[in-house]
Amino acid sequence: MTSSRLLSSLLFLLIFSNSFSQNLPVLATDSLVWHVFENGVRTNVWSIAPEARPDVLETYIKGESKTVTFKNGSDSISFDVKPGNTYSFVFLVNKKDSAFTEIRGIKEVPRARFSSEYIATHTGKTFVEIPEVYELMNIVFALTDKGKTGRGMIHKDTPYYTELMEWFAPYGNEPIVKNVNAALVESGGTYSALKMDAYAFEFSDQGQIVQSHVYDRIGNSPANHLRPYINDLQAFAHKSEFQDFYKKHQDYYQKLIVAFRDSVGIPDMQKWLNTNFPTTRYDSFKIIFSPLVGNNQSANWFSDNGFREAQAHVNFPFRDKTKPGKWSEKAMLVTDGNLVFTELNHSFINPEGEKPQYKNAIEKAFTNLDTWNEKGKPAAMGYNDAYSSFHEHLNWGLVSLRYTDFAPKNEQAALISSIEKVLVEYRGFKKFGTFNQFLVGLYKKRKPGQTVADLYPAIVQWFVDNR
């Protein structure tokens, strides 16, 4: 460090300690990455940005207040945050860089608001989309170190991926890429949260990223995870001329959208779910995806103004061209639909399984999760409570039921067996094969007019008996 820079730093510290510290809390740190907890639950990974001045965390509050804590190891700072109030403090990074930070309390609003106009134009319809800001966020993921080297996050085996990497590679060191990469390193769950919440933003006619008129956030968190990154995302979009890239590839996007919409049996699966879960109703469905998403699916559903919408966030079912076809084309089209079906499923099986009459039995059946989920495998790592484990058994069990109704009869047994092999051997649901055979048999023997929802008492009892 030069003598002039050292003198400048010492002068700043003297002024800082004698002035700012009298007014704002100061937290010294050597780390740029912190965790945010809201009422004791971790909700965000926070990358300190000294250049923001201030760096703002908006938090939604239901009720009078919530406790917001920034934490890194044993170091932390907490505030009792109330709607309409702002709470300021300073991170002092490496004893020289000041990062002025604000927490803004915002009265919690609904995740989605459906106007009369929206309801009129969406009722009874299904939409398949590659949204603009959504695709922008996936390009950022692709540029991160995690996106380049991680398995399963980014689908790379397309000319589209090659083209976008050539276009955007010069912008791989932009702040949004670095900050998102840091967040991904800290928490793998950040990926899905940021990706889904990108759907709550859109571009204005002036090329600005603005909040959607419909959605505040997509996930169940009280705040939109992407909102703190919007300024950096806007700068990246402008500098990289993202909108030109997006417009240039509209033909490709539309080709994928049409293939998804028309080939994998979406109308049939919606009709099947509506028939088998008659007390759960949705007025509109959305399938939201990116050609960049490698292997990631999630779902959510919304209710407002008497209107209910289900969303499936999925990857495109690209087929592995290096492997010879194992199934007939008709069977392949049914299996291609599993990506969407296993997410739309949750919009039905979760509300059904969470009905009060099943609560005690499900909790009793899954008291010891080691009975069901093999340690060290995805079942134990991602489905570590009674309801998530129960729902995932049902989720893939329903795929087998769909095979019995839509797949070629001579291939059904092998298709069902292939599901059981993956769920037991790879994912670690130890008793899925036995459960699945029970479920398929129960479904085939159901009485005329009986639905899957009608079978729930017997299904839940099976788990109690086999715990």
Side-chain angles (χ1 to χ4, degrees), residues 50 201 206 297 313 444 462:
F201 295 93
Q206 292 73 40
Q297 303 92 37
H313 292 246
K444 288 182 176 180
W462 184 93

Side-chain angles (χ1 to χ4, degrees), residues 430-449:
K430 294 193 285 188
K431 295 188 178 185
F432 178 81
T434 307
F435 163 71
N436 200 45
Q437 290 300 312
F438 161 79
L439 179 64
V440 171
L442 184 68
Y443 183 72
K444 288 182 176 180
K445 295 176 182 177
R446 72 193 187 283
K447 297 176 182 178

